[in-house]
Amino acid sequence: MNITNNYLKKKNLSSSFIDLYFMAGHVGICREDGAVLDFSVSNFVNVDGFAFGAAARYVQLDREKCCFPPNMSGHTCKQGYQHSEYGTAITWDDALRSSARNFEHKSYNLFTCNSHSFVANCLNRLSYDGSMDWNMITVVALVIIKGHWVNNMSIIRSFLPSTVVLCLGLVSVGWPFLVGLFSFSILLMGWFLLGTYCFKTLLER
């Protein structure tokens, strides 16, 4: 995606929502020049080619909430040792480059290593908001709670396809379709919650 609008160039976390039921979509994170980085295929991080179309929502991230330690004693976050062990950065773009190099050696998997994993890795490397606990769940929560829609058309573009599929399923199959969809949604959310908080080695972050 080419971000040509100066207003959008100031935004740091972008999301292309393609899923009505899980509210997860696809996410990327912006460099200082506004180019979006996102992880959508194995061993490759897209630069300014946002998968699934233009961003639908964005979150303005605050650089003042990042930790850029010049040395071990220069940490502004409370997790100095953990942050150093994970990997620190001296600038915003430096953190994104380090995460991109890391994910260029990873296989994409919707269930264990996806775009949310990449963004979480970047935020952990930045120790954003003083936290080293960014993961798929917290990234989704950040976009849902603090995200802003780009415009009214982005809302329609995000939810119309899923709404059409839902209506067609109800008309052609009936209530069993809705029950099956709801059950699948619960199982999927359960997987991500268990993988994130109970079996922490299952999911990348």
Side-chain angles (χ1 to χ4, degrees), residues 23 34 57 70 75 117 136 156 158 165-166 171 183 190 199 205:
M23 296 294 288
R57 300 188 79 174
H75 283 271
S117 307
M136 294 183 190
I156 297 172
S158 297
V165 170
L166 181 61
V171 170
S183 300
F199 306 101
R205 68 180 184 90

Side-chain angles (χ1 to χ4, degrees), residues 3 15 27 45 51 54 57 65 78 126 134 138 159 174 183 194:
I3 302 180
S15 175
V27 294
V45 174
R57 300 188 79 174
K65 294 183 178 181
K78 296 180 179 179
L126 292 163
W134 291 99
T138 52
F159 294 120
S183 300
L194 285 172

Side-chain angles (χ1 to χ4, degrees), residues 10-205:
K10 300 176 183 177
K11 307 309 171 187
N12 305 115
L13 185 62
S14 303
S15 175
S16 174
F17 268 67
I18 56 172
D19 196 328
L20 172 63
Y21 313 113
F22 314 122
M23 296 294 288
H26 179 79
V27 294
I29 189 166
C30 292
R31 293 189 315 208
E32 292 178 338
D33 63 1
V36 182
L37 275 67
D38 69 298
F39 180 64
S40 58
V41 295
S42 297
N43 308 313
F44 183 74
V45 174
N46 285 317
V47 178
D48 216 15
F50 203 28
F52 306 109
R57 300 188 79 174
Y58 63 86
V59 177
Q60 174 70 68
L61 301 179
D62 187 356
R63 286 174 52 86
E64 298 299 318
K65 294 183 178 181
C66 301
C67 178
F68 300 120
N71 49 57
M72 274 295 291
S73 61
H75 283 271
T76 56
C77 63
K78 296 180 179 179
Q79 300 91 359
Y81 178 76
Q82 183 185 359
H83 190 195
S84 296
E85 189 177 51
Y86 190 91
T88 61
I90 56 175
T91 66
W92 181 277
D93 284 354
D94 182 42
L96 270 58
R97 276 193 298 269
S98 297
S99 292
R101 284 195 296 268
N102 183 25
F103 273 73
E104 283 172 355
H105 303 285
K106 294 186 181 295
S107 297
Y108 183 88
N109 186 308
L110 178 64
F111 300 103
T112 59
C113 185
N114 54 37
S115 63
H116 300 76
S117 307
F118 172 68
V119 171
N121 187 279
C122 293
L123 295 178
N124 283 326
R125 206 172 292 274
L126 292 163
S127 190
Y128 186 74
D129 206 15
S131 174
M132 291 289 300
D133 295 321
W134 291 99
N135 53 54
M136 294 183 190
I137 303 298
T138 52
V139 168
V140 171
L142 178 66
V143 174
I144 292 175
I145 295 170
K146 295 189 176 182
H148 302 278
W149 293 102
V150 173
N151 50 43
N152 291 333
M153 184 55 66
S154 65
I155 301 175
I156 297 172
R157 180 168 54 84
S158 297
F159 294 120
L160 182 60
S162 297
T163 303
V164 170
V165 170
L166 181 61
C167 292
L168 288 175
L170 284 173
V171 170
S172 59
V173 180
W175 288 107
F177 174 81
L178 194 61
V179 172
L181 182 63
F182 180 75
S183 300
F184 178 71
S185 301
I186 294 297
L187 286 173
L188 193 59
M189 286 188 287
W191 162 259
F192 285 118
L193 288 170
L194 285 172
T196 300
Y197 297 108
C198 298
F199 306 101
K200 297 185 178 181
T201 59
L202 282 177
L203 309 183
E204 287 286 343
R205 68 180 184 90

